[in-house]
Structure formats: C-alpha cells, structure tokens
Amino acid sequence: MNTILQQLHLVHDRIAAAATACERHPDEIQLLAVSKTKPVADLLSAYQAGQRQFGENYVQEAIDKIQALKSDCPDICWHLIGPLQSNKTRQVAEAFDWVQSVDRLKIAERLSAQRPGNMRPLNICLQVNISKEANKSGLLPEDVAALAAKIDSLPGICLRGLMAIPEATDDSDKLTTQLLELRQLFDRMAEKYPDLDTLSMGMSNDLELAVACGSTLVRVGTAIFGSRNS
Ligand SMILES: *Cc1c(COP(=O)(O)O)cnc(C)c1O
C-alpha cells in the first residue's frame, strides 16, 4: 500500500470536485506538492505517482533534495515558497524553476542578475500579504503594481503570478473576501502583464475555497505527505 499515492489521488479528486462545483475545468488548477521537512524517499514516491511540481520552504534543505533527485527525477519543477534572504539568492537562482515568495525589489534584482545565462528566466510570483497582518511576509496589495512595474524589465526573471498565505481563521466569509481581493488584483495585473498566469493560493485545509475563488495552483503539503512534526 502506498499512502502517498493514495493521498495524491484524494487531493486530485478534491481539486476536480471543487473545480466542477464552480464550473471550472480541473486542468486549470495545478497541484504543487509541498514537501518541506519530508525525506527524499517521500518525494520519490510522489514522483513515481506522477507528481512533477514540488514546493520547498528552506533553501539548504531544498538544494540537498534537488541534488539527491537530479539524476532519477530530472523533470521535477522546483518552487521555493518560503522566505528568501539576499545571501541565498545565488543558490536559488542556480537551482530553482520558480520563486513564489518575492516581496522586495532587491531580491528580484539579485535573482535576475544571478540567474545563469544558459537557463530560462526564473519564474517568480509576488507574495501578497492579503490579510495585512503585521509581521507577515509579503507586499501589501496596494504596493504590488509598483513593484511589478519595476521588475518587469529584469531579464533573468519572468513575473508569472501572485501568491498568498491567507490568515489562519475559521471565518470563511473573511477568508473568501481576502481570496477574492487577491483574485481581483491578479485579474487587473494580468491585463498589463501577458505572462501572468498563476494565482497561487489554497493549501490542504482551504483548497476548495481557493479553487472557487480562482486559484490556478494549490500548494498542498499535509494532505499528501501527512503532518509535519519536525
Ligand atoms: C507549508 C506550506 C504550505 C502547505 O501547507 P499544508 O497546510 O501542509 O498543505 C503551503 N504554502 C506555504 C507557503 C507553506 O509554507
């Protein structure tokens, strides 16, 4: 019995049901498997079950996994979804396909400058602090347009979308309001930036709501790999 295989099926079923319920096509929503703290063997199980997009939060842990899986799983698409300090941008620019947690010009500039010339531009999402909580990473919604305009011309990166980690709340009306605000911001930005196709929101507990609010990529950890105790 392969639990990760079964859990992946369940998550795909949830995505499909959520999409159908709001008359979207399930193929419009991609699944990012969030594998932080999980061993390489778990990622390999997910890979063997067909999963290709993986999200990691910690740079060193991620680089080790990327190295370990390089030869057996050459077509994994790696996303950094955790905070990025400027002293780690070079490693990230050299190893990842996506960085979803960009919220400052300096980080974007460094990633662009440090992206190797023989690789495709690094895909990035701007992380938006939709709940406007203090001490939370991400740009305020009102600052997104200005940062996007500044990074648009950077050659080593490609602005692909917006990402948010919503407030931990049981108030689904509040959550819906915040997710829909991000969706509206995304729609406005997409008119201006044709490469913008990724609205990254929704996790294990709220993926149905996120899909209903327009998510194109859900980031799911616990529901695939089980709870994290480390
Ligand atoms: C850990 C994490 C997730 C996955 O959360 P689960 O609740 O385990 O599905 C998604 N996004 C980000 C940014 C995370 O850090």
Side-chain angles (χ1 to χ4, degrees):
M1 186 170 90
N2 183 334
T3 312
I4 289 174
L5 174 69
Q6 290 171 338
Q7 306 267 63
L8 263 174
H9 280 304
L10 290 174
V11 171
H12 280 294
D13 288 347
R14 284 176 62 189
I15 293 170
T20 308
C22 60
E23 299 181 352
R24 298 182 64 196
H25 196 283
D27 292 349
E28 290 171 31
I29 300 121
Q30 299 185 54
L31 173 59
L32 182 70
V34 176
S35 44
K36 61 179 173 225
T37 79
K38 296 298 175 182
V40 166
D42 286 5
L43 282 77
L44 196 54
S45 297
Y47 180 87
Q48 285 161 350
Q51 182 63 32
R52 290 295 179 271
Q53 304 209 74
F54 289 83
E56 288 281 340
N57 288 59
Y58 312 106
V59 173
Q60 195 52 56
E61 178 190 337
I63 302 277
D64 292 345
K65 288 174 177 172
I66 292 171
Q67 286 301 331
L69 290 168
K70 208 173 181 168
S71 55
D72 288 340
C73 314
D75 55 346
I76 289 183
C77 181
W78 293 99
H79 294 235
L80 182 70
I81 60 174
L84 176 55
Q85 308 300 326
S86 55
N87 61 353
K88 302 252 173 76
T89 51
R90 181 176 299 280
Q91 279 175 289
V92 169
E94 291 174 354
F96 281 83
D97 303 290
W98 287 72
V99 177
Q100 294 199 17
S101 48
V102 174
D103 62 2
R104 291 183 279 151
L105 179 60
K106 183 183 173 191
I107 296 290
E109 286 174 340
R110 290 176 66 94
L111 289 171
S112 175
Q114 294 167 343
R115 182 69 165 173
N118 61 346
M119 294 175 83
R120 276 192 293 207
L122 181 66
N123 296 303
I124 69 159
C125 294
L126 297 180
Q127 182 174 349
V128 188
N129 181 359
I130 48 176
S131 49
K132 305 191 179 187
E133 290 164 273
N135 307 322
K136 189 156 180 179
S137 327
L139 288 154
L140 292 175
E142 53 268 37
D143 297 333
V144 168
L147 182 59
K150 287 190 189 124
I151 68 177
D152 188 40
S153 58
L154 297 174
I157 61 175
C158 179
L159 178 59
R160 294 291 298 276
L162 303 180
M163 182 272 255
I165 306 169
E167 195 173 345
T169 172
D170 294 331
D171 183 342
S172 69
D173 288 344
K174 195 173 175 185
L175 199 53
T176 305
T177 306
Q178 291 175 7
L179 295 176
L180 286 177
E181 272 170 21
L182 187 66
R183 160 73 182 280
Q184 281 157 11
L185 179 59
F186 175 77
D187 287 345
R188 284 200 302 277
M189 301 278 300
E191 286 172 20
K192 197 157 174 196
Y193 302 100
D195 293 325
L196 213 77
D197 59 2
T198 302
L199 181 54
S200 172
M201 56 188 198
M203 313 199 293
S204 292
N205 286 332
D206 65 355
L207 74 85
E208 284 83 2
L209 185 58
V211 168
C213 293
S215 171
T216 69
L217 182 139
V218 292
R219 308 179 307 267
V220 179
T222 311
I224 297 172
F225 298 109
S227 58
R228 293 176 292 270
N229 28 33
S230 51

